Amino acid sequence: MRQAVTVPEADDTHPHAATVRNLEQSAGKLAAAAIARMDRNLSWYRAMPPENRSWIGLVAQAGIAAFTEWFRHPETPQAISTDVFGTAPRELTRAITLRQTVEMVRTTIEVVEAAVDEIAAPGGEEALRNALLVYAREIAFATAQVYAQAAEARGAWDARLESLVVNAVVSGEIDEGDISRAAALGWKSPEHVTVVLGSAPNGDSELTVEAIRRAARYARLQVLTGVLGKRLVVIAGGAEDPLRAAKSLIGPFAPGPVVAGPPVADLPAATRSARAAAAGLRACAAWPDAPRPVLADDLLPERAMAGDPVARELLVEEIYRPLEQAGSALLETLSVYLEQASSLEGAARILFVHPNTVRYRLRRVTDVTGWSPSEVRSAFTLRIALMLGRLDEGEPGPRT
């Protein structure tokens, strides 16, 4: 049930007291006329549920009442946004857009303007019309203020939700609630997700987050991002190549290493990518010449030496075990070749085989593991994998 809008009686000492009385008496009729015109001319108003139309009616009524009070005391500062939109500010900004609110206000002003000659006392038409023009400007500023405040509130709430989701992924405590929060933020469950970690720059973290979002829009990536302590965390979705995604987002990161975790299928699995990226970030100090950004999987040796159990397991299961299953000749040849400073001839002499045999076996090592013993970085990775595999076996390697 609507509450009646009451206004004080007009002061007879007012220079336009008769006009003020006419405004008071016509307020209800003007509000009804404004609602009727909205119903005729605004299709979005007709399509709204009755409850929302009732809110708009309250706002139109409050706007005319506020104009009457403002016309009575133009010298007194009036909080127009409170007087007009205070009836249902939160509901209003959620129910209708800013453009629709502007159309609603314009319609109400037009109705009052059309009735100026009828409402104003003789000789007061120009004063009422000028007052309405000034009031229209003030109500426009008040409208913008209401929606700006609502946008700021929504932005702060969205930032809080995003921070919760990012923290849950990094800490490994993501649940259905976090997935729902991500969906509310516009996360559309892309097929490929990777986590990128690096140092956050000094200054306003909100500016850093906005810079990441701009870079993501340009790269056509979905992102959830936040600054956690001194780290800038970006959960990027929609890119099959994590290194390419990291390169497109690297601009806002502070100087220093930036590590991209392995791609995973969805947001819950992003915890695995975040752990790998975090382990890689800790281990980056052991590889001063690491590229920027760098993949967490390219840091497997450093991560293993830093105590990362996942990296140790990957090196053993993806390098040592396949070589072991492929035959002892590959393991023995690789071990001797690495010990002989990557010399084909030296390994061939120790193994009593032709250098071409060593070359063939090393090609087989590359085929089996994906790492080439002839490349310095790959040879280092293979050496660490052999050491970990032997430790895992609990037996010393073959003597040469």
Side-chain angles (χ1 to χ4, degrees):
M1 182 176 182
R2 296 184 181 179
Q3 294 180 349
V5 179
T6 60
V7 294
E9 294 183 0
D11 185 357
D12 290 337
T13 62
H14 192 280
H16 301 285
T19 301
V20 173
R21 282 194 296 270
N22 292 342
L23 267 175
E24 294 172 354
Q25 295 169 1
S26 303
K29 183 173 67 173
L30 291 173
I35 294 299
R37 179 174 290 194
M38 288 185 222
D39 191 59
R40 288 195 309 270
N41 300 338
L42 304 180
S43 58
W44 58 263
Y45 176 80
R46 293 193 299 271
M48 297 184 82
E51 183 180 6
N52 291 353
R53 289 201 299 270
S54 175
W55 289 336
I56 292 176
L58 286 174
V59 172
Q61 247 185 337
I64 295 171
F67 171 63
T68 303
E69 185 62 22
W70 184 82
F71 184 68
R72 177 188 287 110
H73 301 293
E75 73 286 351
T76 304
Q78 300 288 333
I80 294 179
S81 61
T82 303
D83 292 342
V84 178
F85 298 103
T87 53
R90 183 174 300 178
E91 290 80 355
L92 179 67
T93 56
R94 290 180 178 179
I96 62 176
T97 65
L98 176 58
R99 179 185 61 81
Q100 292 170 339
T101 302
V102 170
E103 291 179 351
M104 175 194 71
V105 171
R106 180 187 293 121
T107 300
T108 305
I109 294 295
E110 288 173 351
V111 167
V112 178
E113 187 177 19
V116 164
D117 293 336
E118 177 184 346
I119 295 173
E125 294 87 356
E126 184 177 357
L128 182 59
R129 189 172 285 109
N130 290 338
L132 184 61
L133 290 175
V134 176
Y135 182 78
R137 182 193 66 186
E138 296 298 323
I139 200 70
F141 285 132
T143 303
Q145 181 183 13
V146 167
Y147 275 84
Q149 291 173 344
E152 289 177 359
R154 283 195 297 269
W157 180 246
D158 287 351
R160 172 64 175 164
L161 287 183
E162 190 169 12
S163 178
L164 289 173
V165 175
V166 171
N167 185 67
V169 169
V170 172
S171 64
E173 299 176 353
I174 188 168
D175 55 22
E176 290 297 328
D178 296 305
I179 297 174
S180 298
R181 294 185 188 100
L185 292 167
W187 184 262
K188 295 181 174 58
S189 301
E191 294 182 358
H192 306 282
V193 180
T194 188
V195 177
V196 183
L197 293 183
S199 298
N202 296 327
D204 192 344
S205 61
E206 293 183 5
L207 296 179
T208 302
V209 168
E210 184 56 35
I212 288 289
R213 292 200 182 103
R214 284 197 302 270
R217 286 194 294 269
Y218 182 80
R220 297 183 179 179
L221 297 173
Q222 296 184 50
V223 293
L224 295 168
T225 183
V227 176
L228 304 182
K230 295 182 179 180
R231 285 185 180 178
L232 175 56
V233 183
V234 182
I235 304 170
E240 295 184 28
D241 184 353
L243 190 59
R244 183 176 179 182
K247 287 180 178 178
S248 65
L249 300 171
I250 199 170
F253 283 86
V258 175
V259 182
V264 293
D266 51 29
L267 190 60
T271 291
R272 187 167 68 251
S273 182
R275 286 175 177 169
L281 197 61
R282 288 192 297 270
C284 255
W287 187 13
D289 296 328
R292 185 179 187 269
V294 63
L295 293 175
D297 286 350
D298 287 344
L299 288 159
L300 285 177
E302 289 79 10
R303 288 168 53 191
M305 295 177 69
D308 180 10
V310 175
R312 294 172 63 95
E313 183 179 356
L314 286 173
L315 288 171
V316 172
E317 296 301 325
E318 295 184 1
I319 295 179
Y320 186 82
R321 297 297 178 208
L323 289 175
E324 188 179 44
Q325 294 169 4
S328 59
L330 292 189
L331 270 177
E332 183 182 18
T333 301
L334 176 61
S335 177
V336 172
Y337 175 77
L338 295 176
E339 293 296 333
Q340 294 302 310
S342 302
S343 170
L344 288 171
E345 291 75 12
R349 285 195 301 270
I350 293 176
L351 294 170
F352 299 103
V353 296
H354 194 276
N356 285 340
T357 301
V358 176
R359 185 177 290 108
Y360 167 76
R361 290 177 180 175
L362 294 180
R363 283 201 300 267
R364 286 278 298 133
V365 169
T366 303
D367 294 339
V368 170
T369 66
W371 300 85
S372 174
S374 61
E375 297 178 1
V376 176
R377 179 68 190 174
S378 295
F380 173 66
T381 303
L382 290 167
R383 183 188 290 271
I384 298 298
L386 290 183
M387 293 170 56
L388 293 173
R390 291 165 185 161
L391 290 172
D392 193 58
E393 293 288 344
E395 297 177 359
R399 294 183 179 273
T400 59

